[in-house]
Amino acid sequence: METREIHVYGLVQGVGFRWCTQILAKKYFLKGWVKNESDGSVNILIQGKDYVLNKFIQELPAAQSPAARIDKIEQKQLTNVAPLTRFTVKY
């Protein structure tokens, strides 16, 4: 099981980005959360198998509403993260 932290930049707040991300994560049975950041970006913590996480990230732009715009996606692998049980939207 791998854990990644993903930061998404662009027009990603106020356009349903978190909800669309949650739907995509549930499609792949991934665990974690998504939340808005004060700088206008969105942060995602996600756990799953490496190849599934890659598919999630690859599909993330197309899974969003037409109003959203992703300019940049940054990700890093995290270690020693306890297993998560579900995917949620954080406020």
Side-chain angles (χ1 to χ4, degrees):
M1 192 67 59
E2 186 174 315
T3 303
R4 294 187 197 175
E5 181 178 25
I6 303 166
H7 256 88
V8 184
Y9 300 90
L11 180 56
V12 292
Q13 290 191 16
V15 292
F17 186 91
R18 291 177 298 162
W19 300 108
C20 292
T21 300
Q22 181 181 42
I23 291 167
L24 182 61
K26 288 184 175 187
K27 171 184 171 182
Y28 287 114
F29 303 98
L30 297 170
K31 312 298 184 212
W33 48 257
V34 58
K35 72 174 184 170
N36 287 342
E37 296 294 337
S38 60
D39 66 356
S41 68
V42 170
N43 193 26
I44 304 166
L45 183 76
I46 198 148
Q47 284 182 339
K49 294 182 180 181
D50 180 59
Y51 74 94
V52 179
L53 294 177
N54 290 337
K55 286 186 80 149
F56 170 84
I57 293 166
Q58 182 181 8
E59 288 185 30
L60 191 60
Q64 300 305 319
S65 75
R69 184 191 76 247
I70 295 175
D71 294 334
K72 179 171 62 167
I73 297 175
E74 296 177 343
Q75 61 178 308
K76 63 181 175 180
Q77 187 172 345
L78 302 179
T79 58
N80 300 323
V81 178
L84 302 170
T85 59
R86 59 191 173 124
F87 195 92
T88 60
V89 174
K90 285 191 169 188
Y91 297 94

